[in-house]
Amino acid sequence: MRIGKLYLKFFLSFMVIFIVTEILIFMLFRHVVAENLFERTARLIDTNKFVVTALIQEKLQAHPTQPVAQNAALHELIRELGLRYKARLWITASNGTTLMRSFDGPSPAVIPTNLENIHGFYHAKPLRGRRGLYLNAPLRLPGGETGMLHVLLDSPGHRIAEFPFAGGLTAIGLIIALMLLPIYRFISQPLRELRRHAAQVGDVA
């Protein structure tokens, strides 16, 4: 067998084994690390949702007779929360009318047909190329009316952690592929010597 064909077979065999190994490692990462990370993230989201709702409800209770749109302290709070969380917050009445928002412009469309339930959380359809995480919570508005707090965070989602990991595996594969050449030379050199000696023996015979 020619040395070139031997190297090609060696290279292809190694790469097949390596690719299968990378796929198994990536699947293990998704099952163990990514799922555990998502569970922790979900708990953190729930905790922050509770805290934000409590802060807004406190501002509403501090002015029980003042219309929501005229509550300056509440408006300052949701503006600050929107900046800190890099999110859009708005409050609606029971009939869906927007009473206050943390941003300029119309409220985002978060009707049920525009939402997708992923692992118990609602995600709005891609916003500027990203999937937006949508949360809501009921509020007690002045006059006893039940309103709703809406929060929309522009986020690429939990899969963002998978892309650097997959990229790292790919880079490792390329580096190992480049390292195969000196390994091949190390292995093929004795084979060349063996072929040379075999040829000399044949000539003598």
Side-chain angles (χ1 to χ4, degrees):
M1 180 181 292
R2 295 178 59 186
I3 298 298
K5 291 183 177 180
L6 179 63
Y7 168 72
L8 182 60
K9 288 187 175 182
F10 172 74
F11 175 80
L12 292 178
S13 298
F14 182 87
M15 290 306 298
V16 169
I17 295 174
F18 183 79
I19 291 172
V20 172
T21 303
E22 281 199 338
I23 292 174
L24 293 175
I25 292 174
F26 185 70
M27 292 174 63
L28 180 64
F29 170 80
R30 289 195 62 187
H31 180 70
V32 178
V33 180
E35 289 299 324
N36 184 52
L37 177 63
F38 180 78
E39 290 178 2
R40 294 185 179 183
T41 303
R43 290 196 295 269
L44 181 62
I45 290 172
D46 280 334
T47 301
N48 280 272
K49 174 183 171 181
F50 174 81
V51 172
V52 169
T53 305
L55 289 172
I56 292 176
Q57 189 63 66
E58 181 183 8
K59 293 296 182 183
L60 288 169
Q61 292 177 349
H63 304 84
T65 60
Q66 188 177 41
V68 175
Q70 299 176 13
N71 192 330
L74 176 61
H75 189 259
E76 182 179 352
L77 174 63
I78 68 167
R79 282 276 188 179
E80 182 67 21
L81 291 172
L83 291 174
R84 290 186 177 274
Y85 283 99
K86 296 181 180 179
R88 285 175 279 183
L89 295 84
W90 68 101
I91 299 172
T92 58
S94 56
N95 60 4
T97 303
T98 300
L99 303 175
M100 182 176 290
R101 59 175 66 92
S102 65
F103 51 92
D104 298 325
S107 302
V110 290
I111 55 177
T113 55
N114 195 40
L115 299 176
E116 181 182 3
N117 192 319
I118 302 177
H119 295 290
F121 289 97
Y122 287 102
H123 295 256
K125 290 183 178 180
L127 302 169
R128 297 178 184 175
R130 290 183 163 190
R131 197 180 284 275
L133 177 63
Y134 171 72
L135 307 169
N136 59 35
L139 293 171
R140 294 189 301 274
L141 303 180
E145 181 184 2
T146 299
M148 188 70 68
L149 168 66
H150 307 266
V151 182
L152 185 61
L153 300 98
D154 292 337
S155 170
H158 73 284
R159 291 183 179 273
I160 190 172
E162 299 175 0
F163 297 130
F165 186 77
L169 289 179
T170 303
I172 292 173
L174 293 174
I175 292 172
I176 292 180
L178 294 175
M179 292 175 61
L180 285 177
L181 184 58
I183 294 175
Y184 156 72
R185 289 177 178 173
F186 176 77
I187 295 175
S188 63
Q189 186 62 34
L191 292 177
R192 288 195 180 94
E193 293 292 330
L194 182 62
R195 289 185 63 185
R196 185 172 62 82
H197 288 306
Q200 290 176 352
V201 171
D203 292 340
V204 172

